[in-house]
């Protein structure tokens, strides 16, 4: 009889093959598991980065809005300051104008002519008049505008000194109230009539050289009545009213 020989190699090989396949499968699972873990980690990192970027963008918008608000507030404050400054300047200007107007109203007397030179003065002796000089002479060229030194009513106007005598030539007398009258003489022409109301600075005549005169000038008097003989020093009077003579 033949002896039975039993070989274990085939069975061992099968076992080893099975073990290898199992190990390979396990390895594949491990590798796949690791891949899935890496993918999860990458997704989480990407999500976190996106959240950070979104937060940064939101913070940037908030900062930009705050900056705009601060800028708008600063512009508003500057505008308010400029408006306040402009209002203060306007108030100061109005106050100055009101003060000037009040001063002008308080004075309300002016010189009867402009661009003049004072010549014969009040109470001065001279051969051109019988007594002492009754007024103040303003040396000006013939045709110089003569204006009312103060507002009032014309009570005399015309030749022959308007009733005060031929020595005055053409003349005008204005009543101002409070026993105050002004007289203008040696005129080349008269531009007002008796009874006419005139304002301070209104043109009433042109200067000349009529009557008892040695040259073109305006003879100006301040009187306490409309007639000759009641004159006071006109320069002193005007300066007392604030007029620079």
């Amino acid at each position: 009889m033949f002896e039975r020989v039993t070989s274990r190699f085939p069975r061992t090989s099968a076992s080893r093959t099975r073990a290898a396949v199992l190990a390979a499968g396990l390895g594949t699972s491990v590798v796949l598991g690791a891949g899935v873990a890496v993918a999860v980690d990458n997704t989480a990192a990407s999500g976190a980065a996106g959240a950070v970027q979104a937060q940064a963008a939101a913070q940037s918008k908030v900062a930009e809005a705050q900056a705009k608000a601060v800028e708008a507030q600063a512009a508003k404050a500057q505008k308010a300051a400029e408006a306040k400054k402009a209002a203060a300047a306007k108030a100061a200007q109005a106050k100055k104008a009101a003060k000037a107007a009040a001063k002008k109203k308080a004075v309300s007397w002016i010189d009867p002519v402009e661009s003049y030179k004072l010549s014969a003065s009040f109470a001065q002796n001279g051969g051109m008049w019988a007594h002492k000089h009754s007024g103040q002479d303003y040396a000006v060229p013939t045709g110089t505008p003569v204006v009312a030194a103060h507002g009032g009513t014309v009570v005399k106007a015309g030749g022959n000194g308007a009733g005060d005598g031929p020595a005055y030539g053409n003349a005008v007398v204005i009543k101002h109230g409070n026993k105050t009258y002004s007289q203008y003489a040696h005129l080349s022409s008269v531009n007002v009539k008796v009874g006419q109301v005139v304002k301070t600075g209104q043109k009433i005549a042109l200067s000349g050289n009529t009557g008892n005169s040695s040259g073109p000038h305006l003879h100006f008097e301040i009187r306490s009545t409309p007639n000759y003989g009641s004159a006071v020093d006109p320069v002193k009077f005007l300066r007392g009213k604030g007029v620079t003579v």
Side-chain angles (χ1 to χ4, degrees):
M1 291 180 65
F2 294 98
E3 185 177 358
R4 181 180 292 180
V5 179
T6 303
S7 176
R8 294 181 182 182
F9 289 109
R11 185 176 294 178
T12 302
S13 297
S15 298
R16 288 179 178 178
T17 300
R18 186 180 299 168
V21 171
L22 184 60
L26 182 61
T28 300
S29 299
V30 171
V31 171
L32 289 174
V36 171
V38 170
V40 171
D41 290 341
N42 287 340
T43 301
S46 178
V52 171
Q53 290 179 351
Q55 185 177 5
Q59 290 176 345
S60 177
K61 287 183 178 180
V62 171
E64 184 178 355
Q66 289 177 342
K68 287 183 178 180
V70 171
E71 184 178 354
Q73 187 175 5
K76 185 177 181 180
Q78 183 178 0
K79 188 175 181 180
E82 290 177 353
K84 186 177 180 180
K85 186 177 179 180
K90 187 176 181 180
Q93 186 176 4
K95 185 177 180 181
K96 185 178 180 181
K99 187 176 181 180
K103 184 178 180 181
K104 184 178 180 181
K105 184 178 181 180
V107 174
S108 68
W109 283 83
I110 61 174
D111 280 315
V113 288
E114 295 182 351
S115 303
Y116 58 82
K117 180 178 180 181
L118 296 179
S119 49
S121 59
F122 178 74
Q124 180 178 324
N125 292 318
M128 299 296 295
W129 42 86
H131 304 286
K132 289 185 178 182
H133 197 226
S134 57
Q136 174 64 55
D137 287 350
Y138 290 77
V140 290
T142 296
T144 299
V146 177
V147 301
H150 188 67
T153 303
V154 177
V155 293
K156 289 184 178 183
N160 194 37
D164 287 326
Y168 284 114
N170 298 321
V172 172
V173 176
I174 300 174
K175 180 181 179 180
H176 306 292
N178 297 322
K179 296 182 179 181
T180 303
Y181 298 79
S182 61
Q183 187 241 28
Y184 314 77
H186 304 308
L187 306 171
S188 61
S189 65
V190 175
N191 303 122
V192 291
K193 298 179 180 179
V194 173
Q196 182 176 342
V197 176
V198 296
K199 298 179 180 179
T200 302
Q202 181 177 333
K203 179 182 172 183
I204 59 173
L206 296 178
S207 66
N209 192 30
T210 59
N212 190 10
S213 174
S214 61
H217 71 284
L218 170 70
H219 176 87
F220 178 71
E221 293 184 14
I222 292 295
R223 299 173 173 181
S224 58
T225 73
N227 304 316
Y228 171 77
S230 62
V232 298
D233 187 344
V235 171
K236 183 177 180 180
F237 177 87
L238 289 178
R239 287 175 178 169
K241 297 296 184 179
V243 181
T244 300
V245 182

